[in-house]
Amino acid sequence: MTHQATAAESEIPGVHQGAAPGEGPGEIPGKPTSASRTTLSHIMTHNDTNLLGTVHGGVIMKLVDDAAGAVAGRHSGGPAVTASMDEMAFLEPVRVGDLVHVKAQVNWTGRTSMEVGVRVLAERWNESAPATQVGSAYLVFAAVDADGKPRRVPPVLPETERDERRCQEAQIRRTHRLARRRAIMDLREKRAAEGLDD
């Protein structure tokens, strides 16, 4: 089962999604979720800490972006750039000595964009206790060619009920992103028409 963007809804400002794969000639074969799923692991050190002595949120965000970028590149078969990061949630502090695992997968694909879901887990490097989830995020990536122009991506093929749920939730988040952006643009246009300077 595949899920793509509609022609009228552009995920990325300035990028037109066009017809979804499967709606015209040159259809790109889909890829299963597992084909690009990735885990990035890293031990946290004193170099990663903030003023409170825990790992800096920016360090975790970079690991999230790195893992998601690897997934987007693997799924799309080439370069992909970060377009947005949604709902970066920090659930628990990460400490020096934690082994952090960043697990990422493609949840949804449009014509040229992808949503990548990321879970961040941590465990003590020298203990056998199970890892606990300490964060999560959703990122949107746009696939680009050698000239930086948008290029089509393969549809993602959910393999499990969990994959299917994540795909459906990704479509809800996309609808909200588009509605929020449209509402903001409408407000700005209205204020400009009224002569209000922002």
Side-chain angles (χ1 to χ4, degrees):
M1 184 174 186
T2 60
H3 303 270
Q4 284 81 33
T6 62
E9 298 173 332
S10 176
E11 179 74 43
I12 314 301
V15 175
H16 181 67
Q17 295 289 331
E23 294 180 357
E27 178 182 355
I28 300 175
K31 288 185 179 180
T33 305
S34 60
S36 59
R37 188 178 287 132
T38 298
T39 299
L40 174 66
S41 297
H42 189 78
I43 295 179
M44 299 292 101
T45 70
H46 289 285
N47 293 330
D48 302 315
T49 58
N50 58 27
L51 296 177
L52 299 177
T54 56
V55 172
H56 198 290
V59 171
I60 301 300
M61 291 174 74
K62 184 181 185 309
L63 293 174
V64 165
D65 191 47
D66 287 346
V71 166
R74 291 175 70 176
H75 180 83
S76 65
V81 295
T82 310
S84 68
M85 177 182 282
D86 287 355
E87 301 178 34
M88 180 70 222
F90 297 99
L91 307 176
E92 297 285 344
V94 178
R95 301 168 293 168
V96 171
D98 280 354
L99 177 58
V100 172
H101 307 286
V102 184
K103 299 178 178 288
Q105 72 171 52
V106 174
N107 289 335
W108 171 91
T109 52
R111 181 176 171 84
T112 62
S113 63
M114 304 154 275
E115 185 197 90
V116 179
V118 181
R119 288 189 308 132
V120 183
L121 300 100
E123 59 181 314
R124 297 306 289 170
W125 70 274
N126 59 349
E127 298 176 5
S128 58
T132 59
Q133 185 169 347
V134 295
S136 65
Y138 301 99
L139 299 89
V140 177
F141 280 79
V144 295
D145 62 19
D147 298 319
K149 303 295 185 183
R151 61 183 176 83
R152 291 177 64 182
V153 300
V156 66
L157 306 176
E159 298 173 275
T160 66
E161 286 296 326
R162 178 177 289 181
D163 291 341
E164 184 62 39
R165 173 184 58 78
R166 288 174 174 166
C167 187
Q168 292 169 354
E169 291 175 354
Q171 292 177 84
I172 294 171
R173 283 187 292 272
R174 180 174 184 277
T175 298
H176 287 177
R177 280 193 298 269
L178 294 170
R180 181 177 63 229
R181 190 172 76 215
R182 182 70 257 166
I184 290 171
M185 294 306 295
D186 288 346
L187 178 61
R188 289 179 180 175
E189 289 171 7
K190 178 182 177 185
R191 290 178 61 82
E194 293 172 352
L196 299 174
D197 185 14
D198 290 332

